[in-house]
Amino acid sequence: MMKQLIIIIAALFAVASWSSATPEEDQIVAQLKQEIVKDLKDNILANWAKHSPDPSGGFYGYLNYAWTPREGAAKGGILNARLVWTFSAAYRMLGDEQYLTLANRAQRYFIDHFIDKEYGGSYYTLTAAGAPLDSSKQSYQNAFAIYGLSEHYRATGNQESLDAAIAIYRKMIEHAWDPVHGGFIESFTREWKMIDIPYPKQMNNNLHCLEALTNLYRVWKDEGLRKYLREEIDVMSHKVLNQKRWHEELFFTMDWVNQRDIDSYGHDIEFSWLLVEAAEVLGDEEILKDTERIAVNVARVQLEEGIDANGAMMYEKTDGHLDTRLSWWPQNETVVGFLNAWHLSGERKYLDAAVRNWEWIKKYMIDYEYGEWYGNVSADLQPQRRGVKADQWRCPYHNTRMGLEVMTRFP
């Protein structure tokens, strides 16, 4: 009862925060939502629904800039898990039966082909025909398996999906969770033997493990899961995040000693809102307040350091060298992260930054010739016109999530 009360209070606070916007801000938000949702439906989802299904089974592993598949391309576990999430979440929010059909197709293929029936967990890649190719167990990949399958259950009530998500979660806790220092280790063999790599703990892996635990806890209120979600929030807040600089650190030893000097602006702004989401789902008021404090500070620093003169989010800074690449996914996270910071702080600069970023996306990142978005735009604003539309890492997850977050936040 207390947990439910906290969640209700948080929800009422969110409504109150939005309702305190000025009439001008309301108009700006309404226009922003209209444009982003139209792009989501008519551009992002429409193109993935049309071009990504593979007639031989599942979805293509590689699609070029014009949506032409590459014969024999491997099918990536990350891509396919994200497709399970994308079409499931799209169906849950939009109610279009087309998305339900695609969500079920993605779920069926993932369970039948990607899940290791002998050792548990999911494979990293398959051949084009659906046989295991790289059978290693990456925590990052398995986190997205949990994320996608739990979303399929959330959208459809399919018990098989929830059972599969729970089974993968349990394998992750058994083998990948570090009971001494906390957090998730990255790489394992098919049999879940740890692989010796230079950075056994990584920010990006733990960020998306947090996201996976959050989504699973939405639909499965297990006390053990609650414990690990709480601990992963703490790991991300106090071991991954450097609260003196308000940047996450990226590559770690087992005992969380940072090994590289890198600021990843897109990951930082993504982290800022995912952390708050995790705390909201957890339902702990004290933790939620702390994550909200963190989120606004992280957003402030990314606004100061990561946004270029045109309003786009740059890629990263490594050993003092600024990488000015403009990739598609940080722009999605920038819109959501700054809207979240505006919600929490009431400071208009964050709303303006989100709108300015979206205006940049419309002008430079959307591919008006072949559909969807370009993967990258150069610092001199030239799009990568021959970049891929789909591979292991290129997917509709970030774009779709931005659109659905805007719908959720501005009903």
Side-chain angles (χ1 to χ4, degrees), residues 68-104:
T68 302
R70 176 185 291 169
E71 185 177 354
K75 296 180 186 290
I78 297 169
L79 172 61
N80 279 266
R82 287 172 167 181
L83 287 170
V84 176
W85 180 86
T86 294
F87 291 123
S88 298
Y91 173 67
R92 178 176 57 80
M93 291 293 293
L94 299 169
D96 190 326
E97 292 292 320
Q98 173 189 206
Y99 304 141
L100 175 60
T101 298
L102 290 165
N104 289 339

Side-chain angles (χ1 to χ4, degrees), residues 308 324-326 360 376-384:
D308 72 7
T324 57
R325 280 182 297 163
L326 304 170
W360 183 91
N376 293 283
V377 174
S378 65
D380 60 356
L381 303 178
Q382 298 303 306
Q384 185 187 20

